[in-house]
Amino acid sequence: MSNNPPTDRAPDSDRSASSAAFSPLYQQIKGLLLQSLDRGEWKPGEAIPSELELAARFQVSQGTVRKAIDELAAENLLLRRQGKGTFVATHHEAKVRFRFLRLTPDDGKPPISGSRILECRRVKAPADIAALLDLRTADMVVNLRRILSFDQTPTILDDIWLPGAVFRGLTADSLARYRGPLYALFESEFGVSMVRAEEKIRAVSATQDQADALEIALASPLLQVERVSYTYGDRPMEVRRGLYVTDRFHYKNSLN
Amino acid sequence: MSNNPPTDRAPDSDRSASSAAFSPLYQQIKGLLLQSLDRGEWKPGEAIPSELELAARFQVSQGTVRKAIDELAAENLLLRRQGKGTFVATHHEAKVRFRFLRLTPDDGKPPISGSRILECRRVKAPADIAALLDLRTADMVVNLRRILSFDQTPTILDDIWLPGAVFRGLTADSLARYRGPLYALFESEFGVSMVRAEEKIRAVSATQDQADALEIALASPLLQVERVSYTYGDRPMEVRRGLYVTDRFHYKNSLN
DNA sequence: CAGTGGTCTAGACCACGTG
DNA sequence: ACGTGGTCTAGACCACTGC
C-alpha cells in the first residue's frame, strides 16, 4: 500500500489533522495519539479507546496502532493492562509515585516521608530560570521551597520554579493542605502531566542556610540535583534544584 | 498453534536446548540468542545471521525472531542497521565509547581525555567486593587504581575491582600500553562484554589522599559513584568506585 | 461470556547499503 | 540486482479481566 505521501488513503478521516508527513504510518499515529493526550481528550488514569477502535478511527490496521502504542508505553506515557485496556499514565497510584525520585534508602526499607513548605511566592523570572522554562524575564514564575523528610530526618531541600501563567492559584495554603507527590497535584489541579525529566548532578558543600534547613553541619557534602521536567510536547514546565543528604540514602541509577 | 508446552513442534531443532519453557515463543528465542551471545558464537562487532536465517534455524516465523531481536536491541545488546544486518554491540566504536560514563562537560565541548594507572595488583577479595562480585573472600581479584584527566585536569579517581580468575594476565604493563576505554579492552582481551550497570551515587568530602591525587583542596565535595557492571546472564564482573570532580563537569541523567 | 491486550503467522512492499 | 532490516496488513488463537 503506497502511503508515505502526506495524508492519503482516507483524506477526510481523523488522520487528515496530521502534521508529520513522510514518516512511517505508525509514527504519524503516535503523533496523533500524543496530540489527543496533550489536548486532554483522555485524562491521566483513564483508558484510551481499544486498539481496534483506534484502528477504525485512523483507518489503519490494528498492528499499526499497536506499534504506536508500544512506543508510547515504552516511554511511560501509556500503560497497558492485559484484559483491561490501555491507560494514560498518572503520577497518582502508589506504584509510580516518586517515579522521578531516584534517592533510595541504603537498606531497602521504604521510609516514611513528610513535606514542609518553607516558602511559596510569585516573582519575575530570574534570567537562568526563564531560559530553562522558555519564558521571558518579564514573565511571572512561582517559586516554591520545601523540605522533604524521610523517617523524621530532613533529607531534601527543594527549590522549585514553575511558570506563573500555568500555575495560577497555587498558594502556600493549598499546598499545606495537600498530601502526596507534587506531580500528582500538578496533574489534577493544573492539567500538567510531567512526562520526562533531565537531571544534572554535582557534589557541593552546604552553605550556612542550607545546613540550618537540613540540620547538618556547615560545609557537609550534598548532592545537588538540577532537574528540568517536561510535559507532552517536550515543553519545559518545571525547574527543580534539589539538595540531597546522602549519608543514609543514595541516588540510584541504571545504565544500559 | 499450540506451543507453550516445553519444546514442541521441532523437537530436534536448535530450540530443544531451550531452558525457559512456558513463556512466549519470542522470549524463548531471545533466551537462545542470549546463550549464543554469551557462548561467543557471534563476537562483538560482528553481524548475527539474518532474521530469515534465524527464523529457519529456530523453526519460527520471521516476525517472532524480529520481536526477540527488538528486545535485545532495546537493551543495547544488539544493534540494527538497515540494509546491512544486525550486529553484536561493542564498546569499540567512537559512537558508544563512554557508553557508561555520564560525566559531561558543562559547556558541551568534548574534552581531551587521558588515563594514568596508579596501581595494578592482585589481592584476596575484600569482603564487600567479594559479595558484590559473587566471589568468596579466598578468591583473588585484580585491583586497579587510575586517574582520568579531561583537558589536562585530573577529574576522576577510579578504584576498580575485577575477578582474578577471568582477568588473568592483566598487568600494569599491558594497561600502560593500551589506549581507549577499559571496557573495549575487556572485550577484546578477556572476552568479557559489559552489558548493563547499576550505580549508587553520593556526595562525599575528599580525604587528604584523594585531594592529592585529584589536585584539589582537602575536603572538597566529590561525587562518589559506585558502579557494578554485568555481562550476559546478569553476572557481575566489575566493581568500580569513582570519585568525580564536578566543578566543570556534571553527571547527566534522563528520567522517563 | 464478551472484550481487552498478547502472541504468532504469512506475505506484501519499501528503504537502504553494497556490489 | 540483490539481500538486509523496516513497515503494514489480515487473520487466528491465547490469556486475562470483569460481568
Side-chain angles (χ1 to χ4, degrees), chain A residues 3 9 24-26 60-61 64 67 82-84:
Chain A
N3 56 34
R9 176 195 312 245
L25 237 196
Y26 76 89
V60 299
S61 79
T64 301
K67 186 148 187 185
Q82 179 168 162
K84 302 187 68 176

Side-chain angles (χ1 to χ4, degrees), chain B residues 89-106:
Chain B
T90 172
H91 286 272
H92 300 268
E93 293 188 46
K95 245 206 66 177
V96 265
R97 288 160 80 109
F98 309 120
R99 177 169 146 206
F100 287 170
L101 182 56
R102 298 297 193 88
L103 201 65
T104 307
D106 290 343

Side-chain angles (χ1 to χ4, degrees), chain B residues 7 30 50 66 70 94 143 166 193 196 209 219:
Chain B
T7 17
K30 183 181 172 187
S50 77
R66 173 177 291 275
D70 277 346
N143 178 217
V166 179
S193 294
R196 195 177 74 76
D209 286 353

Side-chain angles (χ1 to χ4, degrees), chain B residues 60-138:
Chain B
V60 300
S61 80
Q62 186 192 13
T64 301
V65 171
R66 173 177 291 275
K67 186 148 186 184
I69 292 180
D70 277 346
E71 293 207 348
L72 293 170
E75 295 165 18
N76 293 310
L77 303 202
L78 295 177
L79 192 68
R80 323 190 74 140
R81 278 188 252 173
Q82 180 168 159
K84 300 187 70 175
T86 301
F87 297 78
V88 182
T90 172
H91 286 272
H92 300 268
E93 293 188 46
K95 245 206 66 177
V96 265
R97 288 160 80 109
F98 309 120
R99 177 169 146 206
F100 287 170
L101 182 56
R102 298 297 193 88
L103 201 65
T104 307
D106 290 343
D107 54 36
K109 296 174 202 154
I112 298 161
S113 66
S115 166
R116 186 162 59 90
I117 304 292
L118 304 180
E119 198 166 8
C120 175
R121 58 197 182 113
R122 312 181 79 82
V123 295
K124 277 205 210 145
D128 56 338
I129 301 294
L132 291 168
L133 290 178
D134 276 352
L135 301 175
R136 286 157 304 164
T137 51

Side-chain angles (χ1 to χ4, degrees), chain B:
Chain B
M1 195 172 293
S2 77
N3 57 34
N4 258 354
T7 17
D8 72 288
R9 178 197 312 246
D12 291 319
S13 81
D14 202 326
R15 211 151 94 248
S16 54
S18 175
S19 43
F22 289 108
S23 72
L25 237 195
Y26 76 89
Q27 287 285 1
Q28 300 177 39
I29 303 299
K30 183 181 172 187
L32 292 173
L33 292 175
L34 267 169
Q35 283 177 33
S36 291
L37 287 167
D38 194 7
R39 191 189 318 128
E41 182 175 338
W42 314 302
K43 298 261 179 288
E46 288 179 10
I48 70 171
S50 77
E51 296 180 350
L52 280 172
E53 275 180 78
L54 290 170
R57 145 129 66 132
F58 297 130
Q59 298 282 288
V60 300
S61 80
Q62 186 192 13
T64 301
V65 171
R66 173 177 291 275
K67 186 148 186 184
I69 292 180
D70 277 346
E71 293 207 348
L72 293 170
E75 295 165 18
N76 293 310
L77 303 202
L78 295 177
L79 192 68
R80 323 190 74 140
R81 278 188 252 173
Q82 180 168 159
K84 300 187 70 175
T86 301
F87 297 78
V88 182
T90 172
H91 286 272
H92 300 268
E93 293 188 46
K95 245 206 66 177
V96 265
R97 288 160 80 109
F98 309 120
R99 177 169 146 206
F100 287 170
L101 182 56
R102 298 297 193 88
L103 201 65
T104 307
D106 290 343
D107 54 36
K109 296 174 202 154
I112 298 161
S113 66
S115 166
R116 186 162 59 90
I117 304 292
L118 304 180
E119 198 166 8
C120 175
R121 58 197 182 113
R122 312 181 79 82
V123 295
K124 277 205 210 145
D128 56 338
I129 301 294
L132 291 168
L133 290 178
D134 276 352
L135 301 175
R136 286 157 304 164
T137 51
D139 293 328
M140 297 300 282
V141 292
V142 182
N143 178 217
L144 234 63
R145 301 207 324 128
R146 67 162 180 185
I147 293 270
L148 285 182
S149 294
F150 295 121
D151 297 332
Q152 268 46 277
T153 311
T155 304
I156 299 184
L157 176 58
D158 268 333
D159 193 12
I160 300 173
W161 303 82
L162 303 161
V166 179
F167 290 85
R168 302 197 175 287
L170 182 63
T171 64
D173 236 46
S174 59
L175 283 167
R177 277 195 304 280
Y178 180 76
R179 297 270 164 270
L182 272 189
Y183 291 134
L185 177 73
F186 294 170
E187 225 176 67
S188 19
E189 296 301 312
F190 304 96
V192 175
S193 294
M194 299 303 189
V195 143
R196 195 177 74 76
E198 294 282 341
E199 292 191 332
K200 295 182 181 183
I201 305 170
R202 330 176 101 82
V204 299
S205 281
T207 65
Q208 189 62 60
D209 286 353
Q210 296 162 355
D212 290 346
L214 288 166
E215 298 171 22
I216 54 175
L218 175 65
S220 299
L222 292 174
L223 210 61
Q224 183 197 67
V225 180
E226 178 177 294
R227 178 192 302 169
V228 181
S229 305
Y230 299 83
T231 8
Y232 299 114
D234 259 334
R235 281 168 289 149
M237 273 302 203
E238 183 201 48
V239 174
R240 183 180 291 207
R241 296 214 174 95
L243 292 168
Y244 300 0
V245 179
T246 56
D247 47 355
R248 279 192 294 276
F249 292 80
H250 61 269
Y251 185 104
K252 193 181 170 196
N253 198 24
S254 300
L255 309 178
N256 299 298

